[in-house]
Amino acid sequence: MYNNILDIDGIKIGQVEDLSGVTGCTVIICEKGACCGVDVRGSAPGTRETDLLDPINMVDKVHSIVLSGGSAFGLESTCGVAKYLEENNIGFDVGVTKVPIVVGAVLFDLHVGDYTIRPDYNMGYRACEAASSTELKQGNYGAGCGATIGKFKGIDYATKGGIGSCSIKLDNGLVVSAIIAANPFGDVYEGDSIIAGCLDYDKKNFVNTVELMKSGVNSKDFSMQNTTIGAVVTNAKFNKAECAKLAQMSHNGYAKAISPIHTMYDGDTIFAMATGEIEADLNLVGTLAAQVVEQSIINAVKNADSIKNIPSFKELKLK
């Protein structure tokens, strides 16, 4: 096992970053298509084709999920993904061509690097060209490149987020995995301990964002500079309604790892994809999904590196 999303047969991951812009995108490709659902809990989302995933609508398989930086500008990267897939004969057959079903979500990272550089058509296309079924980098890669955590006092007191992945495999062959780009307003916890979040003024310790809010302290930067996005992928056999429920249950992993979560200024979104190989109980898969989502967020933090004077877990734990 890779102990990440590549443990699912038929899944490829491509990631591209721009270190000048401090942004990037992550592309999940399933060439044969997979059933997909979504659940959006944050109140400032940026997404593509989420209406299509409503169980009452017709198309029941998607070919790619795109996670991108760049705020709403980053949605352009999904068009490059669609072009690549069409050129490779991947998509929903409409007779004259195959239309790739590409869904996606974006996070806000414009304040970290050069805001004029965002994931675009070319970056999405290049991420597809780089897609691999054997290699996945975590931390400052893809959509995690410009991710930050704990912005109650603004970006100057935030710590580095990133992209992380985790999977669980059972003896019957069932695999449940997640890949998450962690960029929340709130703090990230491992158990009862904050491992990334808002720093105190000497930048040597974490402050507790929830306690600051309870004390009546006003945030200096409570703005749309956040959002955690990701996908849960399983080889279970689920329909669109079940995938929608799986996405909903997966948000429990966000709530276990991040506090506060699903604020008015986060666009927190999770896609859930099922490749249809193994009969499985939705209650079990949803429970495991929350676990891999939580661990993916922790892995994102622990694999991230400091950038643009934003310290990482690796740096802070040495103090």
Side-chain angles (χ1 to χ4, degrees), residues 111-112 148-160 197-205 207 220-221 225 307-312 315-316 319:
H111 56 319
V112 181
T148 52
I149 296 170
K151 282 151 276 191
F152 188 90
K153 296 194 295 182
I155 192 65
D156 291 339
Y157 296 94
T159 48
K160 188 68 182 70
C198 184
L199 294 166
D200 62 14
Y201 287 106
D202 62 9
K203 299 187 179 182
K204 292 183 178 179
N205 296 288
V207 295
K220 293 185 177 180
D221 198 25
Q225 299 181 358
I307 196 168
K308 296 286 185 180
N309 296 317
I310 301 171
S312 66
E315 177 183 345
L316 292 168
K319 292 184 179 181

Side-chain angles (χ1 to χ4, degrees), residues 226-245:
N226 313 293
T227 297
T228 297
I229 53 177
V232 166
V233 184
T234 178
N235 60 356
K237 294 181 180 179
F238 291 147
N239 59 32
K240 283 178 74 174
E242 290 168 323
C243 285
K245 184 62 180 180

